[in-house]
Amino acid sequence: MTEHNATQQRNTLSHTQLFELPVFGIAGNFADHLSQAKESGFDQIVTADPKAPKGVFPIYLPGDDSYLGVYPLSHDVIEADFDGDDCGLQLEAEICVLCDLSYDAQGLVRDCTPTAFSVFNDCTQRCHPAQKLSAKKNWGHASTGIARQWQPIDAFAAQGVLDHYHLASFLKRGDEIVPYGVDCPVNSYQYFYQKVCDWLVHQFNTQPEQGPLEKLPGLLQAQGCPQQIIVSLGATRYTPQGEQTYLQPGDQIAIFAYSPQKLSHEDLVELVRREEDECDDAVILTQDICQSATERTL
């Protein structure tokens, strides 16, 4: 049974299923996010379309010999080493999609079809000296977040299910709850629906190594031409509090894909206060921020 069939029946993917799926992220798919994040190297990447994302980066490659082969996904915790000065941890609230891939006879990606969506914490160590963005995303176990729930996609197009969702995120520190990312419609991604699918196909087949981004041609072939992957579509802009606040041990974060017709801002805050991770009208990721027991050397 394929993963998306399992999703349609249970609305969940187990860690056993997730363990087999390569995970990728998109850099620069929301206006102003990269400038807020102050990630170096992206100003040197020029795209033909000024609104186009800067590129795709790997987060997890099952069986890879590098740090990218370490399984980083967690439903409930982010672990990092906060003892040094090279952490600067920020959550990144994103929509992720489970994609079916097809290939041509030469092993090039031919089609990319999203079949289900969830929410993703593309957590980043801003102060880490690593040259590649991927190393700031996957620093070991429980360095990235993904919700337990998946929502089937009826049509990855205008008027489809995602037109009815917003993306919001919060930080809970002690008794204080503040918005971390700007609440925005999911369909306000700069590249979305068929446009992002076509762009992903092009990037997987042609993206060269550029600054903080890896070369992509041949990467999926080295993974055995997987039939499914997870792609996180990019982080929203930060609120002023989110832009200026690094995460600390003891913090709790929450990310929501929700229907604003059914849930208000006050409803979301109350869900954060009660530490709820399930709701009929939302896909929710909640995570505790913790000090890791060991630090990985890149």
Side-chain angles (χ1 to χ4, degrees), residues 8 97 113-117 151-165 193:
Q8 290 169 351
V97 287
T113 306
T115 61
F117 77 92
Q151 174 72 34
I153 294 174
D154 54 356
F156 194 62
Q159 309 305 316
V161 63
L162 281 165
D163 266 7
H164 305 289
Y165 279 81
Y193 294 145

Side-chain angles (χ1 to χ4, degrees), residues 266-285:
E266 290 72 23
D267 292 329
L268 299 183
V269 170
E270 184 58 25
L271 288 168
V272 176
R273 193 178 310 281
R274 299 202 313 260
E275 301 179 18
E276 298 283 352
D277 63 358
E278 291 188 14
C279 176
D280 290 341
D281 299 315
V283 179
I284 307 173
L285 170 65

Side-chain angles (χ1 to χ4, degrees), residues 36 90 178-182 237-246:
Q36 286 185 314
Q90 284 187 304
V178 297
Y180 202 88
V182 174
R237 296 184 301 279
Y238 290 117
T239 64
Q241 300 100 316
E243 185 175 4
Q244 299 167 14
T245 304
Y246 289 150

Side-chain angles (χ1 to χ4, degrees), residues 125-171:
Q125 289 186 330
R126 294 290 178 215
C127 301
H128 201 287
Q131 296 301 306
K132 294 301 182 186
L133 182 62
S134 59
K136 299 183 179 186
K137 307 287 189 177
N138 185 342
W139 60 85
H141 297 289
S143 57
T144 296
I146 194 166
R148 290 182 173 87
Q149 309 95 350
W150 287 80
Q151 174 72 34
I153 294 174
D154 54 356
F156 194 62
Q159 309 305 316
V161 63
L162 281 165
D163 266 7
H164 305 289
Y165 279 81
H166 275 216
L167 187 61
S169 58
F170 296 86
L171 166 65

